Amino acid sequence: MGFDAIWISPIPLNFEGAYHGYAAIDFYKLNPNFGTQEDLTNMINAAHDAGLWVMLDVVANHVGPVGTDFSQIVPFNSSSNYHPEPNPKLEQSTEVQVCRLDNLPDLDQDDSTTRQLLLDWVKGIVANNSFDGLRVDTVEEVKPEFWKEYISEYAGVHAVGEVFNGDLDFVSGYQDYLPGLLNYPLFFTLRNCFISG
């Protein structure tokens, strides 16, 4: 078929109506769009039997749109798991790491409990499902030091991160923290070429 890996959406149970995987409400339950755990396991095994890697998309920046009713989120059910509402005087580079993205509650990886829950989750989800790699969502929205620990020490698999920015110098700064990055600088350059001719 000309490819050797497949990339699947995040698998945690999502907020009602959010089929895509980027609005988790329970990190320990499987999104029913993937069927049962047995269905997911069978798909991964079939891919491996065909010589294909399976990469899981993961989100460690935010959860589903629950406002401030964190009781709906498992295991991040306390306000201490989240950054407080932003200070309007923050630097723009800091703001993106502590503010809500599209009004989604922003997890605080500096909180030791939150951090350890995220690290243990990724370690378990990779090991228990034999995932071969990760596509990491919203990389620039989290302090970069977190990713090195998340990927190298806990996930233990290859990872490709999303730094949704067209500035090559900015994006390349994340190479010290993740083994791979999606090439958004090239994407934006090519897109602009086709748009402007």
Side-chain angles (χ1 to χ4, degrees):
M1 291 197 280
F3 59 89
D4 56 13
I6 56 175
W7 158 17
I8 65 171
S9 300
I11 62 173
L13 182 66
N14 266 227
F15 191 78
E16 187 175 337
Y19 64 89
H20 44 66
Y22 300 99
I25 58 168
D26 191 331
F27 280 67
Y28 302 133
K29 288 186 179 174
L30 182 65
N31 183 333
N33 290 309
F34 286 97
T36 65
Q37 180 61 50
E38 183 179 7
D39 294 330
L40 178 63
T41 300
N42 290 340
M43 186 274 298
I44 294 168
N45 289 339
H48 287 161
D49 290 346
L52 297 172
W53 277 24
V54 181
M55 293 186 72
L56 174 66
D57 203 324
V58 293
V59 182
N61 175 64
H62 57 268
V63 298
V66 296
T68 56
D69 182 7
F70 305 126
S71 67
Q72 301 177 61
I73 306 296
V74 176
F76 307 105
N77 59 3
S78 168
S79 62
S80 65
N81 298 127
Y82 301 90
H83 288 115
E85 288 302 313
N87 177 343
K89 295 181 181 179
L90 287 174
E91 295 283 329
Q92 186 174 358
S93 61
T94 305
E95 182 180 351
V96 73
Q97 295 174 353
V98 298
C99 294
R100 289 179 174 226
L101 174 68
D102 199 25
N103 205 33
L104 300 171
D106 194 71
L107 290 165
D108 183 358
Q109 295 79 13
D110 289 335
D111 173 71
S112 60
T113 300
T114 305
R115 185 183 198 93
Q116 197 60 54
L117 286 167
L118 288 165
L119 296 172
D120 291 342
W121 177 83
V122 77
K123 182 177 185 175
I125 207 75
V126 168
N128 295 336
N129 292 284
S130 301
F131 286 114
D132 303 293
L134 302 175
R135 183 272 188 184
V136 183
D137 188 63
T138 53
V139 167
E140 76 178 278
E141 283 79 8
V142 175
K143 290 180 181 176
E145 298 80 15
F146 172 77
W147 295 123
K148 194 163 206 150
E149 184 177 18
Y150 188 82
I151 302 302
S152 300
E153 297 177 33
Y154 282 82
V157 293
H158 181 70
V160 176
E162 174 210 44
V163 181
F164 193 72
N165 192 298
D167 182 334
L168 181 60
D169 291 331
F170 180 79
V171 173
S172 66
Y174 286 88
Q175 291 180 109
D176 293 335
Y177 304 100
L178 288 101
L181 297 168
L182 295 169
N183 196 341
Y184 280 107
L186 180 61
F187 162 76
F188 286 113
T189 299
L190 291 173
R191 185 186 70 173
N192 291 343
C193 287
F194 284 106
I195 289 172
S196 58

